[in-house]
Amino acid sequence: MAAVKESKLYYHNKIVYIFVTSIEQTIGPAAMKTVFDVAGVPLKYYPPPNNFAKEFDFAYFSALNGAVDQIYGRGGRGLLIHAGRAGFAEGLAEFGPLLGVGELAFKSIPLRAKLKVGLKAMAETFTKFSDQLTSLDEADDYFIYTIHKCPVCWDRSSQRPICYTAVGVIEEGLKWVSGGKSFQVEEVTCHAAGDENCVFHIAKEPLSDSQG
């Protein structure tokens, strides 16, 4: 496998550490090393340090996502969504108190306002603590979550949206801020598919089978 061309844009190590170990728990260490080999990511990064240093290159993270998708197909997409959920639950949620979304006052506001505050905080967290530039807008029935520099599909090409890990992160973030409810998250444009940015539409109403 040819060496990956580094982007010089960086993710924080912890979310990648959680991503790698989450998938490893399902497929095992030997298979995870195969993922690194297929991705062309040096094994010295297996796994990255479990800290918040901004050191893991977008190109490496994207290559790992691509290798899981390539090797495991539809099942790999489920692995990536699960890893994204774990990345939020075990990593990004720690930033909540820093951004004021873990306080009692936040928990008492109406659901839609809570979603907006939580999604905006998530976007600001990525922008502040990594080179992933993220923004939030809204339409009448859904929020518009835009990743302007996407580490999930960096330097990849596809006929369809492929940012499954990002979907998982958003889904788990919504569950966290809403007290356990689930929401439809759809990637409607993807840089890998030729679009300018990776854009996700997030329903403002929870799915009917959500908890609470």
Side-chain angles (χ1 to χ4, degrees), residues 102-139:
E103 300 173 359
L104 183 61
F106 170 76
K107 296 177 181 178
S108 67
I109 63 177
L111 179 60
R112 285 198 179 186
K114 189 180 297 186
L115 295 177
K116 184 174 182 179
V117 171
L119 286 167
K120 185 176 181 181
M122 191 189 312
E124 290 175 351
T125 297
F126 277 112
T127 299
K128 182 175 181 179
F129 293 99
S130 77
D131 290 326
Q132 175 184 308
L133 301 181
T134 312
S135 63
L136 181 71
D137 298 289
E138 64 177 307

Side-chain angles (χ1 to χ4, degrees), residues 145-161:
Y145 187 93
T146 302
I147 301 177
H148 303 273
K149 294 181 180 179
C150 183
V152 181
C153 69
W154 184 268
D155 203 30
R156 293 162 63 193
S157 60
S158 173
Q159 298 298 312
R160 52 178 169 77

